[in-house]
Amino acid sequence: MLIKAPPRLLPVFILISLCFSGLSGCEPSAKLEPLAEDAVILALGDSLTAGSGAETSQAYPARLQSLIARTVINAGIPGEISISGLRRLPVLIEQYQPDLIIICHGANDILRKLDLQQTRNNIQQMIDLSRSQGVQVVLIGVPEFSMFLSSAAFYEELAEKNHLPIENSVLGDVLKKPAYKADHVHPNAAGYAVIAERLVELLKDSGAI
């Protein structure tokens, strides 16, 4: 039997229905501590962080730095798999003493068809290591490079488990548009600018800036 909402309750009924359908915007972003003006942000990742497809000055860490007026270290290495990023992380934390780490890792694991359960475990260890040093964490979901370019499911699972802010759709959104792509897996300068802008929105929503 179809239940009809009374007309005067229809807007509320629609809002509740949207929330239960899982559409974005109904759940608040996980919260972060505010970042001081002299805070250091470490962007950990592979070629998507390094800025392959554009100049280093056009990569998302450089764009983000200019938008939020805080130091953003580009710690991206093209071709790196997640286990190598995990091994690098302790030295990077010691060297830069970051207040926040943005983790965008796993693209090469996906492209090489590595065990994604191990990728998930590697990123979980990155999160655990960062937090053990008092460093806040933000995740960027990496798409499975298929027709729909949806992020691998484990990124959202990690964000929920660890109560982390996540930008889970921007890479897929960028790579769907030829105007934002340098090739089938890398953004161009315009695409990296979009990533930086979306991260600014996420940091604002989380209370970091």
Side-chain angles (χ1 to χ4, degrees):
M1 180 176 68
L2 180 63
I3 300 174
K4 294 184 178 180
R8 60 193 177 90
L9 296 179
L10 192 56
V12 175
F13 183 79
I14 292 172
L15 179 60
I16 293 172
S17 298
L18 288 175
C19 288
F20 277 103
S21 71
L23 296 180
S24 62
C26 295
E27 294 185 6
S29 173
K31 297 303 178 183
L32 298 172
E33 293 297 320
L35 293 171
E37 293 183 0
D38 62 351
V40 175
I41 297 171
L42 179 70
L44 178 69
D46 45 44
S47 59
L48 294 170
T49 298
S52 297
E55 300 294 329
T56 303
S57 61
Q58 299 169 325
Y60 95 73
R63 297 277 194 172
L64 181 61
Q65 177 171 283
S66 68
L67 290 172
I68 66 173
R70 290 167 176 82
T71 299
V72 181
I73 305 298
N74 189 333
I77 294 183
E80 183 175 74
I81 58 175
S82 62
I83 187 62
S84 299
L86 174 59
R87 289 168 179 160
R88 280 197 299 134
L89 186 54
V91 174
L92 291 169
I93 292 175
E94 182 177 1
Q95 179 178 359
Y96 294 109
Q97 299 292 303
D99 300 278
L100 173 71
I101 294 177
I102 301 173
I103 299 174
C104 179
H105 230 306
N108 292 301
D109 300 50
I110 293 169
L111 288 169
R112 299 182 191 184
K113 302 186 185 303
L114 302 183
D115 179 1
L116 293 189
Q117 182 59 46
Q118 185 59 54
T119 305
R120 184 189 193 282
N121 292 343
N122 292 338
I123 295 176
Q124 180 64 62
Q125 289 183 68
M126 294 177 191
I127 295 166
D128 292 342
L129 175 60
S130 300
R131 286 182 156 176
S132 74
Q133 299 300 309
V135 184
Q136 301 189 94
V137 178
V138 166
L139 286 181
I140 298 178
V142 177
E144 297 183 274
F145 297 100
S146 59
M147 180 182 299
F148 298 107
L149 288 172
S150 298
S151 291
F154 68 81
Y155 290 101
E156 187 68 40
E157 293 167 2
L158 286 171
E160 292 179 2
K161 174 184 176 182
N162 296 282
H163 307 290
L164 299 177
I166 182 171
E167 176 43 76
N168 203 36
S169 61
V170 67
L171 284 173
D173 292 344
V174 164
L175 293 175
K176 288 174 185 175
K177 297 184 178 181
Y180 292 154
K181 293 168 57 176
D183 55 45
H184 75 288
V185 296
H186 296 111
N188 57 20
Y192 286 120
V194 171
I195 295 169
E197 290 163 5
R198 292 270 285 271
L199 285 171
V200 171
E201 294 176 11
L202 182 65
L203 292 174
K204 288 181 177 178
D205 289 344
S206 69
I209 59 174

